[in-house]
Amino acid sequence: MADPIRIGLVGVGKIARDQHLPVIAASPDYNLVAVASRHGSLDGVPNHRTLTEMLAARHGLDAVALCQPPQARFQAAREAIAAGLHVFLEKPPGATLAEVGLLVEAARARGVSLFASWHARHAPGVAPARRRLSGRRLQSVSIAWLEDVRHWHPGQDWIWDAGGMGVFDPGINALSIATHILPPFFLTGATLWVPENRQAPIAADLNFTDAVGTPIHAAFDWRQTGPQTWDIRVEAEDGTLVLSRGGAALSIDGCDQPLPPEAEYRGLYDRFAALIRGGESDVDLDPLIHAADAFMRGARRTVEAFTD
Ligand code: NAP
């Protein structure tokens, strides 16, 4: 058994508390040695306000998990890589494509592992869906990612700022699954609905196609109250596959498939440990490319102001 990876965490917010900290605590592969957060804190380990202070304290860190919003990720990642640490990037891996490219090059030059995590790809239905669709001729794909922003993102201003991506913050999870289970595709048109007092869309309608013309439609909407929907429906020549609940459930031709329990972040941390021990990086930019294309190619419609 290899020595545990001495890890620090930056940005003690919702996802750090909901997933990262419990999964790190339960894993024999990791030893949490410090956190850095300006407002958040954690009992039982040294707390620092910033990554810079955490690095200066010389905890003997091997790695850091960066759990801030995307706009803050590049500076921290660059600093951690320069200090010789392996880096786990929350999704999306950056606020721009080019900055992530620089991080890939910096990690390669410094000989550390860089991991752009896409947690939704570790949902239990995704791997079987990918196997099922491999080599099949597809007829159409329909993605619906409909949720209530007031429930899931209360008080998160960064998400509405430039670089916060608005409804693409959850929508990119759908794109991370779609890019994993479907053949390569590209955007043909989009509409983004942007509240008049915000920088980022509250809803988006996206049309894609692939090399053989398969229609792929995605609807992302943060104005959904009541039942929440995170579904991907794939019509193939020989049947229908539906991934629902964000990949936690899978049905094929109407039959629910038996799946293991949800363990997305355990899967991510297992992968990060394997990358570190294998001296590799894993940075797939495809989901971020599609989100960026939507901002570049999409029509914008202004809608009523959004207040929490
Ligand atoms: P959050 O609750 O707002 O927490 C982010 C933390 O990052 C904050 O508590 C803040 O801690 C720190 N931070 C550093 N720079 C910041 C800045 N410029 N603006 C705001 N906060 C800053 O956000 P979150 O929901 O955990 O999301 C963080 C990242 O995880 C996002 O990229 C998101 O897409 C991803 N994610 C979130 C979820 C989820 O369910 N919420 C699920 C999967 C992935 P200090 O102020 O203490 O420094």
Side-chain angles (χ1 to χ4, degrees):
M1 180 78 190
D3 286 342
I5 295 158
R6 293 172 60 81
I7 193 165
L9 181 144
V10 184
V12 180
K14 181 170 180 354
I15 197 60
R17 290 192 187 284
D18 286 357
Q19 295 287 345
H20 290 257
L21 293 170
V23 168
I24 291 170
S27 172
D29 286 324
Y30 295 93
N31 185 7
L32 181 74
V33 295
V35 298
S37 212
R38 298 161 308 174
H39 306 96
S41 64
L42 184 70
D43 291 342
V45 293
N47 283 238
H48 302 282
R49 271 184 48 80
T50 64
L51 173 65
T52 308
E53 290 175 17
M54 187 163 81
L55 295 175
R58 299 195 172 279
H59 294 293
L61 287 167
D62 301 309
V64 286
L66 301 182
C67 305
Q68 318 98 311
Q71 301 99 320
R73 200 116 56 223
F74 175 77
Q75 290 299 343
R78 189 173 64 169
E79 191 177 352
I81 291 168
L85 303 186
H86 308 291
V87 176
F88 179 128
L89 303 170
E90 247 302 349
K91 49 83 13 183
T96 70
L97 290 161
E99 72 188 48
V100 188
L102 288 184
L103 295 179
V104 170
E105 184 50 35
R108 192 199 57 73
R110 193 68 173 79
V112 297
S113 297
L114 182 67
F115 181 32
S117 69
W118 297 109
H119 67 87
R121 286 184 177 172
H122 290 262
V126 172
R130 179 181 159 101
R131 283 195 295 275
R132 170 78 188 182
L133 294 176
S134 174
R136 278 194 153 71
R137 188 187 294 261
L138 308 184
Q139 293 175 335
S140 66
V141 180
S142 174
I143 300 171
W145 232 247
L146 315 174
E147 60 175 56
D148 181 353
V149 65
R150 289 186 173 86
H151 178 79
W152 299 103
H153 298 283
Q156 287 186 340
D157 285 333
W158 61 263
I159 216 162
W160 294 106
D161 292 339
M165 297 190 191
V167 76
F168 284 82
D169 179 79
I172 206 166
N173 298 331
L175 294 173
S176 76
I177 297 174
T179 49
H180 196 59
I181 66 173
L182 302 176
F185 56 86
F186 64 96
L187 190 84
T188 55
T191 304
L192 312 182
W193 286 271
V194 183
E196 62 185 10
N197 61 336
R198 304 286 182 167
Q199 292 294 324
I202 195 165
D205 188 86
L206 312 163
N207 285 298
F208 302 92
T209 194
D210 61 11
V212 295
T214 309
I216 301 171
H217 176 257
F220 302 159
D221 204 323
W222 255 346
R223 299 167 295 191
Q224 175 88 353
T225 54
Q228 308 284 284
T229 301
W230 300 282
D231 290 355
I232 299 177
R233 181 183 185 90
V234 183
E235 303 288 353
E237 58 183 349
D238 58 349
T240 301
L241 176 149
V242 181
L243 265 176
S244 50
R245 293 195 283 122
L250 174 66
S251 84
I252 295 174
D253 297 331
C255 296
D256 291 340
Q257 305 296 302
L259 295 175
E262 186 284 317
E264 293 181 11
Y265 276 76
R266 199 179 74 201
L268 290 178
Y269 273 94
D270 287 351
R271 174 83 178 131
F272 188 41
L275 290 171
I276 292 170
R277 292 180 176 140
E280 293 174 13
S281 288
D282 177 357
V283 180
D284 178 9
L285 285 174
D286 283 352
L288 191 59
I289 288 171
H290 291 305
D293 281 358
F295 281 87
M296 184 159 60
R297 180 76 168 82
R300 289 170 66 98
R301 304 266 183 273
T302 302
V303 294
E304 64 178 332
F306 176 85
T307 47
D308 264 333

